[in-house]
Amino acid sequence: MIARSRESTIDPMQVHSSIFKAYDIRGIVPSTLNADVAQALGRAFGAHALTCGETVVAVGRDGRLSGPELSAALISGLVSVGIKVLDLGLVTTPMLYFAAHTLCKSGIQITGSHNPRDYNGFKMVLGGRAIYGDEIQGLRQRIEREGWVLRDGGSVTPARVDETYRDRIVGDVRLARPLRIVVDCGNGVAGASAPGLFRALGCEVIELFSEVDGEFPNHHPDPSKPENLRDLMAALQQHDAELGLAFDGDGDRLGIVTRDGETIYPDRQMQLFALDVLKRVPGGAIVFDVKCSQRLAPAIAAAGGRAVMFKTGHSLIKARMKELESPLGGEMSGHIFFKERWYGFDDGSYAGARLLEIVSRSPDANAVLKALPTSHSTPELNVLCEEGEPHRLTADLLERVRHGGLPAPGHHPTLSDIDGVRIDWDDGFGLIRASNTTPVLVLRFEGQTESALERIRHDMLALLQQVKPGASLQESAH
């Protein structure tokens, strides 16, 4: 029987179940997430780690104002159950992952990612793999029952990975020519490392908002939102730079903007990366999520690769890549995973370095990017629902399209049910899926022409109305 700690500082009833998400733990400080929760998580994660044979855990934090307090509490909890902690201090999430591949096998990053500034949370690696789903719920249950034993033997050792991380990338990536780039870190934690990395690669770097500031005084660090790229677009013109790179709050996602202000979305980035990787890994399985463009799979196949569409979720994509020994994976959200020449985790700075390596081989970097096939598409759209409703609605929708037939049969529709309802026609696709992190339906439509996009949007929304009459669309908040 597992002993219950008499020293726990938290009433188990005060742990908000809502903070335990599909891929991480995330909440609002201090109303749903505070130092007591962080300490309890440290004890629960530490106890779980010990049962898996893991005794060393790296801990890092991004630049959010609540980070130091939560980090101290988390480390206190880990040490109290006998864990040896490597304290990395202020690092990007990919640098924490790097530590969990080079210094030890487990780690926790304290990060609010791209969420509003009063949020914070925890991304976790155990024994070399991201934990998600039932395992995160298992941590919640362990906290509620205080399922740990306080013991001696824990310790804290300061550790640095910034130089070894930079040297590892600089030793791997070779630019054919120097590039002038603008780097916008949005006052997120990538500002402490990304500009220096790109200079070490030989770039001339114009910096925007590199000072790490959890108030995010200039714009929010989320490059998936066009309004957060305006300063970058202006600086590209002002400094006559070739490319603009933007990072999210914890540095695991990358935004790319061309000189003339066009955003190269992640599914187009994946076309470029796949063409490059498959030259060295012929026949490799390239994994991408259901939100990605219909243009991606044919590009992978044409380059000799195997296109594998899978469920949305960075932990799920990483797990599928491991199963298939995939050299490359990516999500429409901006998480790009290189296993070829790297470790298989999502890293905005490393993805940026690999992109610059590819485009530096051409005299015109922008021409390389703008030549990538594209289509007309909507942004990610959401339909607000009640808790638990989205998965029920997508199940109902699947039943209806299986028995009632697919719209626009003249355009040769095919159904994918791997994650919600995705219907591909010969001129575009529509997607309706349940979010795993918030109670919303996620919709995305793409057409090879404007008229195809409009038809697909109309047909998919007509299907949606059958299961949720009066559904109201809004652009995704993330």
Side-chain angles (χ1 to χ4, degrees):
M1 178 179 287
I2 298 173
R4 288 168 60 95
S5 162
R6 289 193 300 271
E7 299 178 31
S8 175
T9 59
I10 182 167
D11 178 349
M13 298 304 292
Q14 296 305 306
V15 179
H16 291 261
S17 62
S18 64
I19 69 175
F20 296 87
K21 309 294 186 183
Y23 316 119
D24 55 24
I25 295 171
R26 192 174 355 116
I28 299 171
V29 180
S31 59
T32 63
L33 189 61
N34 55 35
D36 284 344
V37 174
Q39 184 188 57
L41 174 64
R43 290 174 171 175
F45 184 91
H48 182 44
L50 291 171
T51 66
C52 299
E54 293 293 315
T55 60
V56 181
V57 176
V59 173
R61 59 179 171 85
D62 71 11
R64 292 186 179 246
L65 301 180
S66 57
E69 180 187 17
L70 294 179
S71 177
L74 177 74
I75 290 171
S76 168
L78 288 163
V79 170
S80 72
V81 296
I83 293 292
K84 294 175 173 59
V85 174
L86 300 178
D87 184 4
L88 306 181
L90 190 74
V91 291
T92 64
T93 295
M95 290 165 80
L96 180 278
Y97 294 155
F98 179 78
H101 280 79
T102 58
L103 300 180
C104 57
K105 293 182 180 178
S106 301
I108 304 177
Q109 175 76 351
I110 299 157
T111 175
S113 188
H114 59 278
N115 288 284
R117 64 186 182 185
D118 54 346
Y119 277 73
N120 216 327
F122 306 91
K123 294 182 179 179
M124 295 162 287
V125 177
L126 180 62
R129 59 183 176 78
I131 69 170
Y132 61 93
D134 290 344
E135 207 164 1
I136 288 179
Q137 293 306 316
L139 291 174
R140 175 181 62 81
Q141 292 158 10
R142 193 182 280 269
I143 290 171
E144 289 173 347
R145 72 173 190 267
E146 297 181 17
W148 51 71
V149 177
L150 301 186
R151 66 184 82 207
D152 296 332
S155 62
V156 185
T157 305
R160 293 282 299 275
V161 292
D162 49 348
E163 290 185 11
T164 52
Y165 169 83
R166 184 186 65 224
D167 291 348
R168 172 67 175 79
I169 297 176
V170 172
D172 172 67
V173 174
R174 292 282 183 271
L175 270 56
R177 62 182 177 86
L179 294 159
R180 177 186 292 176
I181 63 173
V182 181
V183 174
D184 182 350
C185 296
N187 300 109
V189 71
S193 58
L197 168 64
F198 293 117
R199 287 195 180 96
L201 288 169
C203 294
E204 179 185 345
V205 179
I206 295 100
E207 297 184 43
L208 293 180
F209 317 132
S210 295
E211 181 184 357
V212 181
D213 183 348
E215 295 283 1
F216 306 126
N218 294 288
H219 63 73
H220 199 63
D222 181 359
S224 69
K225 291 296 172 188
E227 62 267 24
N228 296 326
L229 299 174
R230 291 175 188 146
D231 295 314
L232 183 59
M233 292 176 182
L236 279 164
Q237 295 293 318
Q238 180 184 346
H239 296 280
D240 192 29
E242 281 195 76
L243 284 177
L245 275 60
F247 297 93
D248 73 339
D250 65 335
D252 61 5
R253 294 189 299 143
L254 170 71
I256 301 170
V257 178
T258 64
R259 173 183 279 150
D260 63 357
E262 181 181 356
T263 299
I264 306 299
Y265 286 104
D267 49 0
R268 288 180 80 195
Q269 297 173 30
M270 280 290 292
Q271 294 180 45
L272 188 71
F273 291 139
L275 292 174
D276 180 62
V277 167
L278 288 167
K279 292 174 185 174
R280 294 178 296 278
V281 190
I286 309 299
V287 182
F288 55 92
D289 79 318
V290 294
K291 293 193 287 188
C292 284
S293 170
Q294 191 182 64
R295 302 279 194 176
L296 179 54
I300 293 168
R306 183 156 62 97
V308 179
M309 186 165 67
F310 198 57
K311 300 174 183 179
T312 291
H314 62 90
S315 300
L316 304 176
I317 295 287
K318 277 187 269 199
R320 186 66 171 144
M321 287 178 66
K322 194 170 275 191
E323 288 174 15
L324 300 174
E325 298 183 345
S326 165
L328 175 70
E331 283 193 295
M332 190 62 196
S333 63
H335 296 275
I336 307 290
F337 315 87
F338 284 92
K339 181 61 176 174
E340 189 250 359
R341 294 165 49 188
W342 196 236
Y343 300 93
F345 57 74
D346 36 336
D347 186 339
S349 292
Y350 184 73
R354 290 287 289 261
L355 178 109
L356 295 176
E357 180 181 62
I358 296 167
V359 300
S360 73
R361 299 170 191 153
S362 167
D364 187 346
N366 286 266
V368 175
L369 296 173
K370 293 177 78 67
L372 296 168
T374 188
S375 293
H376 302 273
S377 63
T378 62
E380 184 176 312
L381 302 168
N382 288 167
V383 175
L384 292 177
C385 299
E386 298 296 321
E387 196 72 47
E389 186 183 18
H391 286 90
R392 179 181 60 76
L393 290 174
T394 53
D396 289 351
L397 197 55
L398 268 174
E399 283 300 306
R400 286 177 181 264
V401 296
R402 281 179 180 139
H403 294 105
L406 300 175
H411 288 278
H412 308 105
T414 58
L415 171 67
S416 169
D417 61 0
I418 196 166
D419 186 1
V421 177
R422 174 168 165 151
I423 304 174
D424 280 80
W425 290 270
D426 55 15
D427 57 354
F429 82 90
L431 172 71
I432 301 175
R433 60 176 290 273
S435 169
N436 288 318
T437 55
T438 51
V440 299
L441 289 172
V442 176
L443 286 69
R444 187 162 189 256
F445 312 126
E446 176 185 273
Q448 294 179 16
T449 64
E450 288 278 12
S451 59
L453 173 62
E454 189 51 44
R455 185 196 80 243
I456 290 167
R457 179 187 173 103
H458 175 271
D459 288 347
M460 293 298 290
L461 291 180
L463 285 174
L464 176 63
Q465 290 295 325
Q466 293 179 28
V467 296
K468 190 171 175 62
S472 175
L473 293 180
Q474 62 181 44
E475 197 166 327
S476 169
H478 300 317

